[in-house]
Amino acid sequence: MKNNRLLQNPFYKSLMRNMFLTVILVSITPMILVIILLLSRFQTSYEEKVEAHLKELVLKHKQNIDGFLKERMNNIRYLSKVLNIEQLSDEQFLDERLAILQSEFGPVFVDMGIVNDKGKQVAYAGPFKLGEADYHEAEWFKKANTYPNFVSDVFLGLRGLPHFIVSAKKDFKGGEYILRATIDFVAFNNLVENIRIGETGFAFIVNHAGEFQTKPRAASVPNRAILDELLLEGKKIPEKVKVSRKEDSSGRDHIYVTASLKNDDWMLIYQQDTADAFSIVRKAFQIALLIFTIGSLGIVIMSYLISHRTVKRIARADQEKEMMNQQVIETGKLASIGELAAGIAHEINNPVAIMVEEAGWIQDLLEEEEFKKSENLDELNRALKQIGNQGRRCKEITHKLLSFARKTDSRTQEVDINQLIREIIGISEQRAKYSKIVFQSDLYSGLPNVRASQTEIQQIFLNIINNAIDAMEKSGGSITISTRQSTDTVMIEFADTGPGIPMANLGRIFDPFFTTKPVGKGTGLGLSICYGIVKKLGGDIQVKSVVGFGTTFQILLPAITTQNETMNINNG
Amino acid sequence: MNQGRPTVLFVDDEIDFLNTLLKRMSKRGIDVRGAGSGEEGLRLMQKSKSDIIVMDVRMPGMDGIETLREIKRQWPLTEVIMLTGHASLEAAREGMELGAFDYLMKPVDIDELLYKIEDAFGKVLIQQKKIKRLEEAAESKHT
């Protein structure tokens, strides 16, 4: 409690705060730096790794898809090269070829047809009734008619199902014909559909106009703006696989890996949420944050405790020093008062000596014959005797003062407690008399001496007696001083008949700066200094008080027993 | 050197005290002289020797102890009685060690001082007697 009160002092508060903040700063700063450095390194290298992995993946699939398209194209070209127009125009024959292709490559080829340069289908093999269909208006026909080999974009066409066409143009005798085959969209879609990584990673294909060539997962298709951007970037260096990051309209960050397909006509796009792609980085961030939080908390608590404890210790040391200083000042004060008293006593001594001497001289003269008859002789003699008596009284007082002053030194020596008490009673009696206080003493005559500083013991006794006199100033009463010996302890008891100390104050009377005297009257240090001295001497001081009856101070001091003495001598 | 009446030198810096004491002492049939300081006391002793010196310990200039030392060096047979205040008990002890006859505390009771002077004079007389006897013995040897 006392220390906490001390810590309220602004000096200690700021000291504590500075220490607290310094410790926190010094411990947390390197931790933050290390965490940031490691995390940023980890993030870069991990992201590089993830990007490289995605690039690899996309490149592989690009090759896959390109290979697939090329292969289908080769199938058709081969057929167009080895077969003549009669064979191709024969629907039965075409059916057989389709069956062979389907059995070789799975249900990739849906149907086949041969179209003349007017766009009219001459022969058809497949599940749909598309014989005699006219394609001369169709987009794919216009393109297929200009290139020897052609792969169309995905479109719905006459059948109303998404599909695309692989075609080969051939100059047969009697005109140009186009052999076309429809590739099943589902089979093609699977090539891309299978690219799935994490929770949000998927791939799709768009043509140069940004139209989807495969069915992307409906959940999160990129919007036009992003697609256009990707396509534009893709066109710059078509042969390379590129990685970029873009934020969509809802604010989510995505990573895009793009590769061109089909001679830069299509684009394979892989999309994944950045957060998903780098989830491990995020996890590392979370762990680091957790460690940082726990670490910081630990540091804060520890630095608080350390600064608190250190400052408390400093405060206590300061307080002890303060008390010591006060004690030194008090002792010094007493010593200087003693010196002053000695000076005064000596100065008074001389005039008193002269007065007594002069009175003696008058008495001498009165012995002479001429005064013998004087009727006032007796009265004169009485007056002179009185002067002599009062002179002696002055002498006693000054001698007491001088003997008190003589002892103001703090050297440790053997102190006769009884003698000291008698002297102190002699000094205090005069003051006590004015307050109608009487001294009683019950001193044990065989009391052993105590090893202490005479001045300090004097100070303790005077303090307690002065307190008692102060307490009984108005009421009067008695102070009983008794000494006793119990084995190797000297016990001195000061019992007054004053008003007593209330219970609430009893526990605090030895606290420094505790006083019930009016401001300026008491420092509140007297008893705490007494306590300090007694404790220093290895003794104890106790107080018992009953309100209305009086207070008793009991001081226990270690006695010098003969045994101790021999021991000391042996040691010495 | 009077057989019945001791010659006493009083040394004290308090002239008022000294004068009254001198008057009282001469009234009691003692051959007295007074000196206001240690230095003056030594000068008077040089002029003519006193049997006994009563001296204050605390004096300005040459203090009682210094004067005592000088007296004991030059006139070892002269007895010295120290007057002290209570505060100079230490000085009194030192004086006793240096060979002072006794000490008294101020203010001094006149009768007490007289007794001390008589005692001291007694000692001086005994000392003188012994010396005289030795001198006579030495003379008879010679003759």
Side-chain angles (χ1 to χ4, degrees), chain A residues 145-267:
Chain A
N145 216 7
T146 47
Y147 301 104
N149 303 302
F150 174 70
V151 179
S152 79
D153 287 346
V154 175
F155 64 104
L156 290 174
L158 293 173
R159 67 197 72 178
L161 283 171
H163 66 286
F164 68 93
I165 282 165
V166 181
S167 70
K169 197 170 82 166
K170 197 184 173 189
D171 199 0
F172 296 101
K173 50 181 185 329
E176 284 185 332
Y177 290 89
I178 292 166
L179 177 63
R180 68 155 198 92
T182 308
I183 305 292
D184 178 35
F185 178 74
V186 177
F188 178 69
N189 207 31
N190 280 346
L191 288 177
V192 185
E193 189 89 319
N194 288 339
I195 310 177
R196 283 196 175 189
I197 295 172
E199 287 177 9
T200 57
F202 68 98
F204 54 89
I205 296 170
V206 292
N207 66 6
H208 60 273
E211 289 157 355
F212 287 99
Q213 302 303 304
T214 58
K215 206 173 90 197
R217 284 216 312 221
S220 50
V221 276
N223 57 24
R224 281 300 314 189
I226 290 174
L227 276 183
D228 289 346
E229 245 176 87
L230 288 170
L231 286 167
L232 202 70
E233 284 165 16
K235 243 168 223 155
K236 281 176 201 160
I237 321 162
E239 64 276 9
K240 259 185 94 175
V241 176
K242 269 192 293 296
V243 178
S244 58
R245 288 196 203 173
K246 299 194 191 304
E247 202 177 283
D248 69 9
S249 52
S250 62
R252 287 180 74 118
D253 209 21
H254 294 288
I255 183 165
Y256 293 100
V257 187
T258 60
S260 60
L261 288 173
K262 212 180 104 185
N263 293 327
D264 204 15
D265 204 13
W266 289 357
M267 184 177 258

Side-chain angles (χ1 to χ4, degrees), chain A residues 323 326-331 333-334 455-467 470 508-517 521-535 541 553 555:
Chain A
M323 265 175 71
Q326 284 293 350
Q327 194 173 331
V328 167
I329 290 166
E330 201 82 349
T331 317
K333 213 192 272 170
L334 210 74
T455 323
E456 286 181 348
I457 298 290
Q458 224 167 36
Q459 202 180 346
I460 298 171
F461 292 178
L462 266 178
N463 227 308
I464 292 170
I465 289 172
N466 282 341
N467 281 346
D470 287 341
R508 299 174 60 197
I509 58 164
F510 295 118
D511 284 0
F513 308 113
F514 176 77
T515 180
T516 56
K517 292 178 186 174
K521 283 273 179 175
T523 56
L525 284 170
L527 282 176
S528 86
I529 289 168
C530 291
Y531 186 82
I533 295 171
V534 170
K535 284 287 173 188
I541 181 166
F553 279 90
I555 298 171

Side-chain angles (χ1 to χ4, degrees), chain A residues 344-488:
Chain A
I344 292 168
H346 191 81
E347 289 312 308
I348 286 173
N349 227 10
N350 279 333
V352 168
I354 294 167
M355 276 154 62
V356 169
E357 220 48 54
E358 294 291 353
W361 178 231
I362 292 169
Q363 205 154 21
D364 289 353
L365 293 176
L366 283 181
E367 312 265 305
E368 311 224 329
E369 276 311 305
E370 51 202 292
F371 297 108
K372 285 283 184 195
K373 286 156 199 146
S374 171
E375 50 190 273
N376 288 329
L377 186 65
D378 286 346
E379 198 51 30
L380 280 170
N381 271 329
R382 192 202 58 78
L384 286 172
K385 212 171 156 192
Q386 183 70 353
I387 292 173
N389 283 342
Q390 296 310 315
R392 262 188 296 283
R393 196 171 149 198
C394 282
K395 181 172 134 182
E396 257 171 51
I397 293 169
T398 54
H399 282 186
K400 269 182 202 160
L401 255 177
L402 284 168
S403 82
F404 170 66
R406 212 156 39 81
K407 286 162 187 164
T408 50
D409 63 67
S410 54
R411 275 172 308 160
T412 331
Q413 58 199 76
E414 280 192 35
V415 179
D416 180 349
I417 296 290
N418 285 348
Q419 181 55 37
L420 201 64
I421 288 171
R422 275 184 218 110
E423 278 176 25
I424 284 170
I425 291 176
I427 295 165
S428 308
E429 228 162 16
Q430 206 59 35
R431 193 188 151 207
K433 218 179 269 176
Y434 291 113
S435 306
K436 294 196 181 66
I437 297 166
V438 288
F439 277 97
Q440 285 161 358
S441 58
D442 171 18
L443 307 178
Y444 173 62
S445 55
L447 198 70
N449 285 350
V450 163
R451 188 168 295 284
S453 150
Q454 186 117 5
T455 323
E456 286 181 348
I457 298 290
Q458 224 167 36
Q459 202 180 346
I460 298 171
F461 292 178
L462 266 178
N463 227 308
I464 292 170
I465 289 172
N466 282 341
N467 281 346
I469 294 176
D470 287 341
M472 298 188 288
E473 208 160 23
K474 298 200 179 75
S475 57
S478 72
I479 299 173
T480 309
I481 305 174
S482 51
T483 54
R484 256 175 286 157
Q485 183 194 4
S486 60
T487 56
D488 51 358

Side-chain angles (χ1 to χ4, degrees), chain B residues 19-34:
Chain B
N19 287 341
T20 315
L21 193 63
L22 288 178
K23 278 189 268 179
R24 295 187 77 188
M25 282 297 162
S26 56
K27 200 170 188 311
R28 282 165 173 73
I30 291 173
D31 185 357
V32 293
R33 285 187 300 170

